[in-house]
Amino acid sequence: MRHRLAWPLITLALLLVVNTVFNDSFLHIEWRDGHLYGSLIDILNRAAPLVLVSLGMTMVIATRGIDISVGAVVAIAAAVAAWMIGGSVAGTESRFPMPLAIVGALGVAALCGLWNGVLVAKVGMQPIIATLILMVAGRGIAQLITDGQIITIYYKPFFFLGGGYLLGLPFSLFIVATVFAALYLAVTRTALGLFVQAVGINPTAARVAGVQSRRLIVAAYTFCGVCAGIAGLLISSNVKSADGNNAGQLLELDAILAVTLGGTALTGGRFSLVGSVIGALIIQTLTYAIYSLGVPPEINLVVKAVVVFVVMLLQSPEFRAQVGVLVRRPGV
């Protein structure tokens, strides 16, 4: 129970049990139309963008930073991809080749992350202020790209990214698995993980020890931007459109919640990639439960906040110690 992933796993298991109790077919998975179909598959597919953003956010938070602009970057990447693909109603033509559109969208997302990283590491701005600038301006940039309209995408090959299936599973899961595997190997099989921890714990000491802390921080924000860009591609592909005003709305808050639920310390240094994935699954499973149970939309955010609050209390060693003292106190 003292393991950092114990309570997140218990929370996820409890949410699955709640869904199963109120929905007899929740755990049912069947083969339909050439792929697996069921509530669990739907949760995994819809959680893919949040998992990607959470992975990028993990690296930023691990370096004592925060990025509240990822939702705007999602909107920008989706807008760039939609504008470059364009396409006719027939769905057989594209303004630019699809690989070029994908590279263009990810390139713009990387530039957004690079901008944040430079403001934090080079200029010396506080991370929340630096990313707040892009959070506000990014929505405007996305709407400028889309001309204030929702761009509908008709190019059918693009739909495969967020809505296609490979080997019976959503293709988005393979994208998430690739990003996670590459990042996990980088932080566990190279010195990158140690450098990130050193910068997060004490950036000054890390710099004195020879770690290029500023470059590492810039790289972390750039990677976070790329992850948000990939998430934007998946979202726009899934809904077949790009909405500069609403795409990725509040995604940054869900990502921060997912990272903290997974055991990553907001003070930097300690982080868990697996925990961030579990945290994202908790958020998506909770969202599914709220809607499936018929909870009114106007209070679903309150329910989500309460659940997150309780889980964070259970994860706190200080809170558990105080509860233990009260339980052991005579007469209590």
Side-chain angles (χ1 to χ4, degrees):
M1 297 299 294
R2 294 182 179 180
H3 195 279
R4 70 172 68 176
L5 298 181
W7 285 109
L9 287 172
I10 292 174
T11 304
L12 181 59
L14 289 176
L15 288 173
L16 294 175
V17 170
V18 170
N19 278 287
T20 304
V21 169
F22 289 93
N23 184 0
D24 295 337
S25 61
F26 177 73
L27 297 179
H28 178 68
I29 298 177
E30 63 179 340
W31 187 269
R32 184 191 301 178
D33 299 328
H35 60 82
L36 293 174
Y37 179 85
S39 299
L40 292 176
I41 302 299
D42 185 56
I43 289 175
L44 291 174
N45 189 23
R46 294 184 181 277
L50 178 57
V51 172
L52 287 169
V53 176
S54 298
L55 290 175
M57 188 71 73
T58 301
M59 302 310 296
V60 169
I61 292 178
T63 59
R64 281 192 174 187
I66 197 78
D67 189 347
I68 59 174
S69 70
V70 288
V73 176
V74 165
I76 293 174
V80 171
W83 180 84
M84 293 187 69
I85 290 176
S88 62
V89 177
T92 58
E93 298 178 358
S94 175
R95 181 179 289 117
F96 294 93
M98 189 173 119
L100 182 60
I102 293 175
V103 171
L106 295 183
V108 172
L111 287 176
C112 291
L114 179 63
W115 166 264
N116 288 332
V118 169
L119 290 183
V120 173
K122 302 294 185 180
V123 179
M125 286 188 181
Q126 291 294 324
I128 193 170
I129 300 300
T131 55
L132 178 64
I133 295 173
L134 186 59
M135 176 185 177
V136 176
R139 291 289 171 186
I141 294 172
Q143 292 186 66
L144 286 174
I145 297 173
T146 61
D147 198 22
Q149 305 295 322
I150 298 177
I151 299 180
T152 302
I153 303 174
Y154 298 101
Y155 191 57
K156 295 181 180 179
F158 184 70
F159 302 159
F160 185 78
L161 290 178
Y165 291 84
L166 179 64
L167 302 178
L169 294 173
F171 183 68
S172 59
L173 298 184
F174 291 91
I175 297 177
V176 171
T178 301
V179 174
F180 174 81
L183 181 59
Y184 185 82
L185 291 176
V187 300
T188 59
R189 295 293 185 267
T190 70
L192 178 62
L194 181 61
F195 291 163
V196 169
Q197 287 183 335
V199 171
I201 295 173
N202 192 326
T204 303
R207 192 181 307 113
V208 172
V211 178
Q212 299 291 334
S213 58
R214 292 183 178 178
R215 292 184 181 179
L216 190 62
I217 292 173
V218 172
Y221 279 93
T222 304
F223 175 75
C224 187
V226 172
C227 288
I230 301 174
L233 292 176
L234 294 183
I235 293 173
S236 60
S237 172
N238 197 15
V239 301
K240 302 178 177 60
S241 63
D243 185 354
N245 187 46
N246 295 311
Q249 193 77 31
L250 298 180
L251 187 61
E252 59 274 358
L253 300 183
D254 281 346
I256 295 172
L257 287 176
V259 172
T260 52
L261 282 174
T264 296
L266 288 176
T267 53
R270 189 185 70 181
F271 68 96
S272 173
L273 298 178
V274 177
S276 296
V277 174
I278 297 173
L281 293 177
I282 290 175
I283 296 296
Q284 187 58 46
T285 306
L286 177 60
T287 301
Y288 183 92
I290 289 173
Y291 285 111
S292 63
L293 294 177
V295 177
E298 57 270 18
I299 65 172
N300 60 4
L301 293 177
V302 177
V303 175
K304 183 185 295 186
V306 170
V307 172
V308 171
F309 176 71
V310 171
V311 175
M312 294 308 297
L313 282 180
L314 294 175
Q315 281 187 285
S316 171
E318 292 82 2
F319 176 78
R320 294 201 302 270
Q322 292 176 3
V323 172
V325 170
L326 292 176
V327 172
R328 292 190 297 268
R329 183 180 299 173
V332 177

